[in-house]
Amino acid sequence: MLRLRTVSISVSTLLSCCMFAALCFAQGKPQASPGELIATVAGQPIYEQDLAAELGPKLLQLRNQEYQMKSMALDELIRKKLIDAEAQKRGISADKLLEQEVDSKVADPSDAEVEGYYLAVQGQANQPLQEIKPQIQKVLKLLKMQQARQQYGNALRAKAETSVLLRPPKVEVGHDPARVRGEAKAPVTIVEFSDFQCPYCKKAEAILKDLLVKYKGQVKLAYRDFPLRALHPQAQLAAEAGRCAEEQGKFWEYHDALLADQSKLDGAGLVKTAQTLGLNEKSFQTCLTGGKFKAQVEQDVQDGIKAGVNGTPGFFINGEFVNGTQTEAEFEKIIERELAISRDRTSIRAAR
């Protein structure tokens, strides 16, 4: 993935800033109004939403970290409740259940495991192995028991009826209906922020096309421009050229042609591609040289930054951010979850 800049946020920063993030993104969506007035400069107001525009990528990363922390804590709580329920069913305490079903079945660490652990911490131990071997054995046994308890809880969960309503943070991102692939009424929308000169965007295309075939009628793809002008000097003009092709009803054909051969993104190459696709050359050149869609491309870039995009490709699957080129399985996991939510909503409406 290509980035505008690298953002590093620690967990401690998350804990101190999550309330601020919540102010800027209520319920995972950008505020419809500018929010509270927080400063004035030379008579000009600054609102909360202005901070969201400045800190979009950082705030999105904070919210994702907050979700990961909550998700891990929720998994642990679910395991605990299932273990408590199983213990109650058997008429024993949870500790007794774990002792019988887990702890008693955990093997003592082998000498090889002890030696491996010792080599990993030797620089901090400053003691011969034989002197601290009992302590290492105790630590390893405890780690094994913790892992086994987690696996036992997961096994109970696999057999239980569990519904998790905690969802990843979402951002409301619009798109242009004229640049959409797939069924317009599909319940899942992938909004892609992309750059015609980005090699990772080209790589992602095969995955996106596979998804549209596999989930025909269920998933649609919307394209938005995010030229990384500092890295890709030809990306801006290529983005404008794509919109000039859209004006003649051939955006996706032109989009595919540019990504298929990223060596032809200079002015002459862009015009040649338009000719190959049968576009009106004069109208295309007038559109391109006149900068007709320069402002629209810039609006896409600014919307992307506000939503949290800081590189390409960047995707929002029904508002859930997917950063960079991911595996097809990662996209499918989110899509399947969104389709399940859509089915549940349809069932609820039908039952009313």
Side-chain angles (χ1 to χ4, degrees):
M1 175 186 178
L2 295 179
R3 299 176 180 274
L4 290 174
R5 55 190 178 276
T6 300
V7 180
S8 178
I9 305 294
S10 67
V11 174
S12 60
T13 304
L14 165 67
L15 295 175
S16 62
C17 295
C18 61
M19 184 172 291
F20 173 70
L23 289 173
C24 295
F25 290 90
Q27 296 299 317
K29 296 181 180 180
Q31 293 181 354
S33 65
E36 183 182 352
L37 178 68
I38 56 176
T40 58
V41 180
Q44 297 298 312
I46 297 178
Y47 297 96
E48 282 180 3
Q49 186 169 296
D50 298 320
L51 287 182
E54 290 293 322
L55 300 175
K58 295 180 181 179
L59 291 176
L60 183 59
Q61 188 175 18
L62 285 172
R63 292 169 58 235
N64 281 325
Q65 289 179 339
E66 180 184 13
Y67 166 74
Q68 292 299 329
M69 293 174 67
K70 286 181 176 179
S71 184
M72 290 172 62
L74 179 59
D75 285 343
E76 183 61 33
L77 186 57
I78 289 172
R79 283 192 291 267
K80 182 180 183 303
K81 287 188 175 295
L82 288 171
I83 290 170
D84 287 344
E86 181 67 17
Q88 186 175 12
K89 185 170 67 175
R90 298 192 189 188
I92 58 177
S93 69
D95 288 340
K96 187 65 175 178
L97 173 67
L98 290 171
E99 182 182 343
Q100 291 178 357
E101 296 295 329
V102 181
D103 300 354
S104 63
K105 300 177 183 179
V106 174
D108 292 331
S110 66
D111 288 342
E113 289 173 324
V114 171
E115 290 174 10
Y117 184 87
Y118 176 76
L119 289 174
V121 300
Q122 189 174 11
Q124 304 170 30
N126 295 322
Q127 290 176 276
L129 172 58
Q130 293 307 314
E131 289 186 14
I132 60 172
K133 186 175 181 178
Q135 292 95 313
I136 293 177
Q137 289 174 324
K138 185 176 180 180
V139 168
L140 288 178
K141 183 69 175 283
L142 181 60
L143 290 173
K144 281 188 169 188
M145 287 171 55
Q146 289 176 340
Q147 184 178 20
R149 287 185 175 200
Q150 186 178 78
Q151 291 172 347
Y152 179 67
N154 290 341
L156 291 176
R157 182 173 179 174
K159 296 183 289 186
E161 185 176 337
T162 306
S163 177
V164 175
L165 303 180
L166 180 67
R167 296 286 179 251
K170 292 194 174 187
V171 180
E172 193 173 90
V173 180
H175 63 272
D176 179 1
R179 294 197 293 175
V180 171
R181 258 179 172 156
E183 173 59 46
K185 295 182 179 180
V188 177
T189 302
I190 302 175
V191 179
E192 176 189 13
F193 284 84
S194 187
D195 173 321
F196 284 115
Q197 201 176 349
C198 167
Y200 300 100
C201 298
K202 178 178 180 177
K203 183 179 179 181
E205 279 308 296
I207 293 175
L208 294 172
K209 287 181 179 179
D210 284 347
L211 292 172
L212 289 174
V213 171
K214 181 173 182 177
Y215 294 99
K216 186 176 180 180
Q218 298 177 298
V219 173
K220 62 179 179 286
L221 172 67
Y223 186 92
R224 298 198 67 171
D225 294 300
F226 202 82
L228 301 178
R229 292 167 288 221
L231 296 174
H232 300 146
Q234 296 176 328
Q236 173 68 31
L237 191 61
E240 294 178 38
R243 289 178 176 268
C244 292
E246 175 193 341
E247 190 177 42
Q248 296 191 41
K250 289 195 174 182
F251 169 74
W252 287 110
E253 295 91 335
Y254 197 80
H255 163 279
D256 291 350
L258 294 191
L259 287 177
D261 188 353
Q262 293 177 313
S263 67
K264 298 177 181 178
L265 299 181
D266 61 340
L270 294 172
V271 172
K272 181 64 176 177
T273 299
Q275 291 174 331
T276 302
L277 294 174
L279 298 179
N280 183 297
E281 183 180 346
K282 183 177 180 180
S283 296
F284 183 86
Q285 284 188 319
T286 300
C287 172
L288 190 59
T289 57
K292 183 174 182 179
F293 293 108
K294 186 175 182 179
Q296 285 88 335
V297 172
E298 180 60 24
Q299 185 62 57
D300 270 11
V301 171
Q302 293 305 314
D303 287 349
I305 291 173
K306 290 177 183 177
V309 179
N310 70 337
T312 56
F315 306 93
F316 291 88
I317 305 178
N318 277 7
E320 181 176 339
F321 187 49
V322 177
N323 197 19
T325 306
Q326 302 289 333
T327 64
E328 192 164 331
E330 183 63 27
F331 282 96
E332 289 176 353
K333 181 174 68 175
I334 301 173
I335 289 170
E336 291 290 349
R337 185 171 65 230
E338 290 300 314
L339 289 174
I341 293 172
S342 177
R343 288 192 292 268
D344 289 345
R345 287 172 178 166
T346 300
S347 298
I348 290 172
R349 285 196 295 267
R352 289 177 178 174

